[in-house]
Amino acid sequence: MSSMNLEGRTKNELLYVGFNQDYGCFACGTDTGFFVCNCDPLKERFRKDFENGGIGIVEMLFKCNILALVGRGKNPRFPPNKVMIWDDYQNKCLAELEFKAEVKAVKLRRDRIVVVLENKVYIYNFADLKLVGQIDTASNPRGLCSLCPSNNVLAVPGIKAGSVHIENYDLHTTTIINAHTSGLSQLALNRDGNQLATTSEKGTLIRIFSCEDGTRLKELRRGADKADIYSLAFNADSTALCLSSDKGTIHIFGLTNAQRQQQVDKNTVNKQSSLSFMKDILPSYFSSEWSAAQFHVPEPHAVSTFFFIFHFYNCE
């Protein structure tokens, strides 16, 4: 997941930050509007300020002028139960979608709009805003959802806590993965939509699954103590995964086998216990793989990708 709702978490006016589909830009929602920045080089692309309210979700459609906006904050610019399709060239809303409950997240593709409520996900055709599908979920206050920008694959929480519902609309298949015994804290698809990464509310383990048949491909360990996971992201070729949490540490894991990791870069080899050779008789903890690299950030609220790390600083 490459976005974060910051309402109630920071003392400054920042309510939301999220990357676009290719991680080339990020958008921020504030108490007075929103702005969009380019990642490389880092510079502001455009900004929109409103006189009367905040924006709590700003979902971009690659680098085009169309965005999905949801009001939030102490004085929302738009109702929190509406998704506004905003054209920044024309400086106006082109359409809106209204719901009976607060919108938790919005994801865009060129052909789809996905709207996440706490217990339901709605899928619309972008061209005519026709409802083409809906999925019931377990309680999802974080608005967890991952929409593959290349292949038509959608991952959302399942009805059972800790499970994931994957829809492949190209292949017309549905896969249910029982990823964790406790509720989900994050989920993320890779660029091709054939792998899924998940973490639970405990925040100790990261599991990688095949989206085709639900097979568990890998299990990684962040640590032994509980943590709130803020973001997960694959790199472009799915050979590594990065993670941020409330511990203020960014973890980077290698996803290929150890021999292949050493051939590519010795620094991408995940760490293992010195007793891992006895994994068949010892508890699973001793066969765990820890991150190949990690570093600390000054402020723990962070969204991480392999192109950019965004920190949130509390302003007094």
Side-chain angles (χ1 to χ4, degrees):
M1 190 173 183
S2 54
S3 62
M4 184 185 292
N5 186 329
L6 293 167
E7 188 175 8
R9 290 190 175 184
T10 57
K11 300 176 184 178
N12 58 19
E13 65 171 8
L14 193 62
L15 300 178
Y16 172 92
V17 64
F19 290 89
N20 71 341
Q21 290 81 359
D22 62 9
Y23 299 102
C25 297
F26 64 89
C28 295
T30 72
D31 280 332
T32 58
F34 67 91
F35 60 92
V36 174
C37 293
N38 195 64
C39 289
D40 188 18
L42 180 60
K43 64 178 181 180
E44 184 176 302
R45 296 187 63 200
F46 60 86
R47 175 184 292 267
K48 176 63 180 178
D49 292 315
F50 298 108
E51 294 182 359
N52 59 338
I55 301 296
I57 295 177
V58 188
E59 177 70 7
M60 301 180 65
L61 181 61
F62 292 93
K63 294 184 179 181
C64 79
N65 54 299
I66 302 298
L67 304 99
L69 306 178
V70 178
R72 200 84 89 226
K74 296 179 180 179
N75 184 25
R77 176 66 179 88
F78 307 110
N81 66 322
K82 287 186 177 182
V83 177
M84 316 302 292
I85 306 302
W86 179 269
D87 186 333
D88 199 64
Y89 286 167
Q90 300 186 50
N91 200 35
K92 67 176 184 179
C93 287
L94 302 179
E96 65 179 65
L97 297 168
E98 184 174 1
F99 304 89
K100 295 181 180 180
E102 180 180 297
V103 174
K104 299 297 184 180
V106 182
K107 299 297 178 184
L108 300 181
R109 280 172 48 105
R110 291 187 173 92
D111 59 346
R112 290 288 185 267
I113 301 173
V114 177
V115 181
V116 183
L117 309 186
E118 183 162 349
N119 293 100
K120 208 172 195 68
V121 176
Y122 294 92
I123 302 97
Y124 294 86
N125 187 41
F126 210 136
D128 55 11
L129 300 185
K130 180 181 178 181
L131 181 66
V132 295
Q134 50 188 299
I135 302 171
D136 292 318
T137 71
S139 179
N140 184 19
R142 294 173 181 251
L144 301 182
C145 176
S146 187
L147 181 64
C148 182
S150 54
N151 297 319
N152 203 354
V153 180
L154 171 67
V156 298
I159 295 178
K160 178 184 176 183
S163 67
V164 182
H165 182 130
I166 300 175
E167 286 289 335
N168 189 319
Y169 293 100
D170 292 331
L171 300 178
H172 306 287
T173 60
T174 300
T175 305
I176 305 297
I177 299 174
N178 292 314
H180 301 272
T181 55
S182 57
L184 298 169
S185 62
Q186 290 296 335
L187 59 83
L189 291 168
N190 67 346
R191 177 175 289 187
D192 296 327
N194 58 15
Q195 291 185 35
L196 170 77
T198 65
T199 57
S200 75
E201 294 170 346
K202 295 180 180 178
T204 55
L205 297 175
I206 306 95
R207 289 174 175 154
I208 313 296
F209 298 91
S210 164
C211 292
E212 297 177 1
D213 57 13
T215 302
R216 187 195 297 182
L217 304 175
K218 208 170 189 65
E219 181 174 276
L220 307 165
R221 182 172 289 275
R222 181 208 56 82
D225 55 332
K226 185 176 181 179
D228 188 3
I229 307 302
Y230 289 151
S231 66
L232 282 174
F234 288 89
N235 67 344
D237 59 1
S238 303
T239 58
L241 182 83
C242 64
L243 170 153
S244 65
S245 74
D246 63 345
K247 302 299 183 182
T249 305
I250 308 298
H251 292 266
I252 299 177
F253 298 88
L255 297 183
T256 56
N257 61 53
Q259 183 178 4
R260 174 59 179 159
Q261 288 173 13
Q262 289 180 334
Q263 290 174 350
V264 176
D265 186 350
K266 292 182 180 180
N267 294 323
T268 66
V269 178
N270 294 330
K271 298 177 176 63
Q272 289 186 290
S273 167
S274 59
L275 299 177
S276 60
F277 68 94
M278 300 174 62
K279 62 182 179 181
D280 293 335
I281 60 175
L282 292 175
S284 61
Y285 179 87
F286 292 95
S287 60
S288 298
E289 293 184 39
W290 283 267
S291 55
Q294 56 181 270
F295 58 93
H296 292 271
V297 291
E299 222 297 327
H301 292 114
V303 176
S304 58
T305 77
F306 280 89
F307 298 90
F308 199 73
I309 306 293
F310 198 99
H311 313 278
F312 307 106
Y313 295 96
N314 290 339
C315 298
E316 300 292 341

